[in-house]
Amino acid sequence: MAGDLKKVAYYPGCVLEGTGHAYNRSTKEVGKVLGLDLVEVKNWNCCGAMEVKNTDPKLQTYLSARNLSIAQGMGFDTVMAPCNGCYHNLKKAEYDLKNDPASVEMNERVSTKAGHPAYRAGKVETIHAIDWLKRAVGEEELARRVTNSLKGLKVANYYGCMYTRPRHIFPEKDKGPGSESTLRPHFMDDLLAAAGAENVEYPLKTACCGGAHALSDCDTSTTLVLNLLETAEACGAEVIATNCPTCHTGLEMHQVRADKVLGRKTRVRILYFTQLIGMALGLSARKVGVPENMSDPSDVLQAKGLG
Amino acid sequence: MPIHEKSLIRPENLITHDSLVIDGTDVSGHWSTFIKSRTITDYNEAMQDEIAALPGGEYIHRCWQCGSCTNACTVNAVNPDFNPRYWIYLIRTGMEEELLRDKDIIWQCVSCNKCTYACPRDVFPEGVMKATAHWLELKGHTAASPATHFDATFTEQILATGRMEESHTLRSFFKRTGQPLNQPWLVALVTGMAKRFPLFFMIRMGLAVVFRPRTRGWARTEGVLRDFVSQRRARNAAALGLDSKEGH
């Protein structure tokens, strides 16, 4: 069901319209430079994020499935979601509608009442922005297109939770060489290496930033984030590359909070992986939305002549 | 029962005498510490079935107590009292009183799904944690946790407009939980942003606050979803033997 990834449906999700706007901007700009078409899913709704499932999991399945149904109606067999949460939820809806008759029944009933066709499993494949660049362009082509190499910028690749867990909703992962690993993911590492970064050995690639409780349980989140930041520094990283707006803002927010509340200052910078790739492709820092990040990474970028 | 040893040797369950002789044998001091004998008679036999009836708790019966969940747990590394394996054990054996000792931290599960990843029995411990947290609140053992307030604020916004706007969620949540918005770290964050953000971006965010983003033609869907949510609430309450109006 791979389809032609030169033109895919694009599901930005709520956060990419708000605090994660830099991720939205940089993803679109990178697509433009590489000649990839993104067509936004029309009149999309929230996927349910991490909260709606706690009200009821099937409500979240429906919310995500509605977006897949629209993408299908627009004639697409692939939808790309850059946010880990959205990506995870669309995948989860696909899994539930394939394996759980009760979810299928609920989705059919609610969709009919709401007046749109119900999504049925197997029609639209959900991919992450990482899969998109990896499969539509690939490392070799990306390396050829690089005009302003990251010049050995030391990067810790941080994938977070929702990109790999729980593994049963990602049937395409863990399929041996060439596929993504849920235990030690490497697709983002591969892309950034092709863009000229030096990836440091980072043991916390899939550790949790506490994003689900970033506001409701601040102290736990600050502890978890501080651990991620200090470990990245201990591994020699100058930058943490992120692929999720919740992780990204969580890291930025709790980096400030760890400093103000615990007096623990960290210097490592936080950038979306699409921002790094965009700058390697010759885009300016402004073009990939660096000024829209909450923390200021310009010292590290200027030292490398980036942006 | 080795799994339960820790609670048996809590300080309040230990007896040490400075000077005691029984039948001519000196049993004084630390070396002769006794463990209070204990008989449990108040097992809550309905607890497992009730938690299994809530969304997420369905597969609790599969657990064979290997401890992979606690071993993988993010929150356990921060707070050793956060112990999913132990709670599942208590729920399955019906030791409610023991479970209630931890009632104020169970909601802190961050949904990282490391437990679900590690579980060899597909118990979905993450779901069990959420079901247990809901059970505690529905039964009135705890007040709504900050996470429950956040989930409710968030879900309400999605039901109303189809989309989420962050500043609205943030403000509603702080208001609902009675927290001030002028916390020093939050102020530092916002002033830091204000200094750097391009003007058009500030305007854009400001507009989103005033004209909240919404999915077009959502009203019909909203009605259907609200019906669904209230049906599910009534169902959950009934499964716990509660009047449906008591739910949160």
Side-chain angles (χ1 to χ4, degrees):
Chain A
M1 208 171 61
D4 180 11
L5 295 180
K6 298 285 176 208
K7 186 175 181 181
V8 296
Y10 179 51
Y11 178 71
C14 308
V15 177
L16 265 71
E17 303 265 288
T19 49
H21 191 253
Y23 195 19
N24 197 351
R25 177 187 293 279
S26 53
T27 302
K28 285 181 178 166
E29 290 296 335
V30 166
K32 223 182 268 174
V33 173
L34 294 170
L36 305 174
D37 250 355
L38 293 177
V39 184
E40 190 164 322
V41 174
K42 281 181 202 150
N43 198 29
W44 51 266
N45 59 277
C46 170
C47 68
M50 282 174 290
E51 287 77 11
V52 173
K53 77 165 174 54
N54 297 334
T55 299
D56 194 275
K58 287 193 177 58
L59 185 58
Q60 176 171 303
T61 305
Y62 165 76
L63 289 172
S64 293
R66 180 183 178 276
N67 295 307
L68 292 172
S69 157
I70 297 172
Q72 188 189 354
M74 288 165 67
F76 287 99
D77 63 4
T78 309
V79 60
M80 188 274 273
C83 165
N84 274 5
C86 303
Y87 167 68
H88 172 279
N89 284 349
L90 298 184
K91 284 279 195 195
K92 172 96 178 13
E94 178 73 31
Y95 177 86
D96 285 346
L97 295 178
K98 193 171 171 197
N99 297 289
D100 176 29
S103 296
V104 174
E105 187 276 323
M106 180 275 183
N107 183 49
E108 299 269 341
R109 181 160 44 87
V110 172
S111 301
T112 310
K113 281 191 197 164
H116 64 85
Y119 176 73
R120 303 227 163 107
K123 302 294 182 197
V124 179
E125 187 191 17
T126 304
I127 61 170
H128 194 277
I130 293 178
D131 300 317
W132 174 61
L133 291 178
K134 178 104 175 166
R135 279 164 48 185
V137 182
E139 296 98 290
E140 279 177 34
E141 171 68 8
L142 184 66
R144 264 199 299 278
R145 303 289 288 270
V146 166
T147 58
N148 186 18
S149 161
L150 297 175
K151 301 179 199 74
L153 180 73
K154 292 198 170 59
V155 179
N157 288 267
Y158 176 57
Y159 296 81
C161 300
M162 318 278 271
Y163 178 70
T164 54
R165 286 191 298 270
R167 91 178 106 197
H168 63 266
I169 64 170
F170 306 110
E172 72 286 6
K173 289 179 181 165
D174 293 332
K175 294 285 180 212
S179 72
E180 181 63 302
S181 159
T182 58
L183 192 61
R184 293 173 69 87
H186 55 85
F187 276 14
M188 180 159 61
D189 293 63
D190 299 347
L191 292 168
L192 288 172
E198 187 192 318
N199 296 313
V200 303
E201 190 63 40
Y202 187 49
L204 302 182
K205 282 177 193 299
T206 66
C208 179
C209 70
H213 291 170
L215 289 171
S216 45
D217 190 6
C218 280
D219 291 338
T220 302
S221 294
T222 303
T223 309
L224 295 174
V225 167
L226 188 62
N227 189 30
L228 292 169
L229 299 171
E230 290 183 339
T231 305
E233 289 187 349
C235 294
E238 297 162 279
V239 166
I240 295 179
T242 58
N243 60 336
C244 168
T246 309
C247 299
H248 185 97
T249 39
L251 292 182
E252 289 185 320
M253 208 163 91
H254 289 284
Q255 186 173 38
V256 174
R257 193 169 184 272
D259 179 16
K260 295 284 166 200
V261 178
L262 304 174
R264 305 266 285 272
K265 210 176 182 71
T266 43
R267 303 179 54 80
V268 67
R269 302 303 178 203
I270 303 143
L271 285 156
Y272 289 107
F273 85 102
T274 43
Q275 292 183 306
L276 290 168
I277 290 176
M279 286 185 281
L281 292 169
L283 295 169
S284 69
R286 185 161 288 275
K287 201 99 181 169
V288 294
V290 172
E292 294 164 27
N293 287 3
M294 286 189 202
S295 61
D296 187 2
S298 28
D299 51 348
V300 172
L301 296 179
Q302 273 157 15
K304 291 281 173 191
L306 290 166
Chain B
M1 201 177 286
I3 259 166
H4 209 219
E5 272 169 10
K6 262 194 169 168
S7 70
L8 293 176
I9 56 165
R10 277 198 197 104
E12 65 268 27
N13 293 332
L14 298 179
I15 307 169
T16 310
H17 292 279
D18 290 336
S19 152
L20 181 68
V21 177
I22 297 177
D23 295 342
T25 308
D26 182 6
V27 287
S28 322
H30 183 72
W31 285 101
S32 300
T33 298
F34 292 83
I35 296 175
K36 242 188 223 167
S37 66
R38 196 187 61 158
T39 318
I40 302 179
T41 52
D42 56 348
Y43 288 100
N44 180 345
E45 290 177 37
M47 188 159 56
Q48 177 179 347
D49 288 343
E50 287 178 358
I51 289 175
L54 295 176
E58 296 90 344
Y59 303 111
I60 186 171
H61 64 279
R62 292 174 176 170
C63 177
W64 59 22
Q65 289 291 302
C66 72
S68 297
C69 49
T70 297
N71 191 40
C73 180
T74 296
V75 186
N76 177 262
V78 178
N79 176 6
D81 287 338
F82 193 97
N83 191 338
R85 190 220 82 240
Y86 183 50
W87 294 334
I88 291 174
Y89 168 76
L90 296 177
I91 294 164
R92 297 207 59 207
T93 44
M95 291 200 255
E96 183 176 9
E97 206 174 306
E98 202 59 35
L99 183 78
L100 292 183
R101 295 178 74 100
D102 292 330
K103 66 185 165 58
D104 295 323
I105 59 172
I106 294 175
W107 68 272
Q108 287 181 304
C109 163
V110 287
S111 296
C112 70
N113 268 317
K114 287 201 165 191
C115 50
T116 305
Y117 188 96
C119 180
R121 292 281 293 155
D122 285 345
V123 170
F124 298 99
E126 186 266 346
V128 174
M129 290 305 105
K130 296 299 164 194
T132 307
H134 282 152
W135 182 85
L136 288 167
E137 292 181 9
L138 288 168
K139 283 282 186 180
H141 291 304
T142 50
S145 70
T148 298
H149 281 302
F150 194 82
D151 294 339
T153 306
F154 194 102
T155 305
E156 173 50 36
Q157 201 183 350
I158 306 309
L159 289 177
T161 62
R163 291 198 194 180
M164 187 267 298
E165 194 275 311
E166 291 146 314
S167 76
H168 181 83
T169 308
L170 183 86
R171 278 177 291 121
S172 321
F173 171 69
F174 273 55
K175 194 175 161 201
R176 209 177 148 135
T177 50
Q179 298 180 65
L181 274 165
N182 59 355
Q183 305 183 36
W185 66 274
L186 203 57
V187 173
L189 191 76
V190 173
T191 45
M193 287 181 336
K195 276 185 208 145
R196 299 184 55 252
F197 278 3
L199 184 63
F200 83 89
F201 188 54
M202 301 283 275
I203 294 172
R204 195 193 145 95
M205 290 189 85
L207 285 175
V209 174
V210 184
F211 304 103
R212 282 167 55 189
R214 52 182 70 235
T215 304
R216 290 189 308 281
W218 186 253
R220 183 167 167 189
T221 314
E222 179 187 352
V224 179
L225 295 182
R226 285 197 191 278
D227 282 350
F228 175 75
V229 170
S230 53
Q231 280 163 22
R232 295 291 282 183
R233 267 198 193 128
R235 192 204 73 100
N236 292 346
L240 268 51
L242 301 167
D243 177 2
S244 63
K245 287 186 188 70
E246 284 173 45
H248 54 79

